[in-house]
Amino acid sequence: MTRGPRCTPRTQAALGLALCVLLAWPALRHALEASMWRHMVLQFPLLMAAGALLAAALPPRAHAAVARWNAHGIAGLVGVAMVLGVLMVPRVLDLALRDGATEAAKCAALVLAGAALRLSWRAAGLVVQGFFLGNMLPMTAVVGQLYIDAPLRLCNAYLLDDQARLGQWLIALAVLLALGWLAQVGWVMARREGTLLAPDNA
């Protein structure tokens, strides 16, 4: 049985760089940031995806250096949680729209968070992954509910309806990510059980 072509690290890095350039294109950046939900639900994950793709190009020596301070993926996931926690603050979104330096810092932080997530997720294992998601997803849902219930605009740049729509998206994403991770856990456990039972059935 022949395998299909693989996406090599160099190809992934090239795709990540192309995605960074595309997201920096003013017309697309302004279109994404014109809506509060597109700003957070589309632009944020796309920048993180670009970082994850760029991380594929890290040489083995760099991987080894990262692994030394990122045991079990804990440091990387803590960094990701800090970046996302700060960028969910409405004041930061307002500043990113008005100040070029804040916008650049936001984009760079998200790209680095995406790279850290890729380098940390598999090393974390199910227990650390569960701890990370157990903190991040409830926080995301709470922020989403805050955006829905707030009687006033929390971001001066966006309308109240757009703010409520973002809240609905954040809650839905938290639920979908939780269900997706639980499905992954079930699949992993089923594979482990099947591996353990295989010798007995032979």
Side-chain angles (χ1 to χ4, degrees):
M1 180 178 177
T2 59
R3 294 183 179 181
R6 296 180 61 190
C7 191
T8 64
R10 181 175 295 181
T11 301
Q12 292 181 55
L15 289 172
L17 182 59
L19 185 54
C20 284
V21 172
L22 182 63
L23 291 170
W25 183 38
L28 179 59
R29 180 167 59 82
H30 292 152
L32 290 173
E33 295 178 350
S35 167
M36 194 177 184
W37 78 267
R38 288 199 300 269
H39 191 166
M40 193 176 289
V41 177
L42 291 181
Q43 189 191 53
F44 281 22
L46 287 172
L47 286 167
M48 292 182 68
L53 289 168
L54 288 170
L58 282 178
R61 183 176 296 181
H63 271 282
V66 168
R68 281 196 293 271
W69 62 264
N70 193 29
H72 305 293
I74 294 173
L77 293 181
V78 168
V80 173
M82 290 177 62
V83 167
L84 293 178
V86 169
L87 292 180
M88 284 186 187
V89 176
R91 175 66 174 164
V92 176
L93 290 182
D94 272 335
L95 284 174
L97 293 173
R98 297 201 310 265
D99 181 62
T102 305
E103 171 75 9
K106 177 201 78 175
C107 294
L110 286 168
V111 170
L112 289 174
L117 187 61
R118 176 172 184 163
L119 296 172
S120 306
W121 189 252
R122 185 173 295 180
L126 293 179
V127 173
V128 178
Q129 289 174 11
F131 183 80
F132 170 73
L133 293 177
N135 283 274
M136 284 302 303
L137 297 184
M139 181 187 74
T140 301
V142 168
V143 171
Q145 194 63 50
L146 174 64
Y147 280 138
I148 292 172
D149 294 339
L152 301 174
R153 290 188 301 167
L154 300 178
C155 280
N156 294 327
Y158 298 111
L159 298 176
L160 195 59
D161 288 347
D162 200 13
Q163 177 176 293
R165 190 176 301 113
L166 170 62
Q168 294 167 357
W169 271 103
L170 290 178
I171 293 173
L173 281 176
V175 172
L176 289 174
L177 288 173
L179 292 175
W181 183 75
L182 289 174
Q184 176 196 344
V185 171
W187 180 74
V188 170
M189 299 304 292
R191 282 194 63 186
R192 288 179 181 174
E193 184 177 346
T195 302
L196 291 173
L197 294 176
D200 297 332
N201 296 331

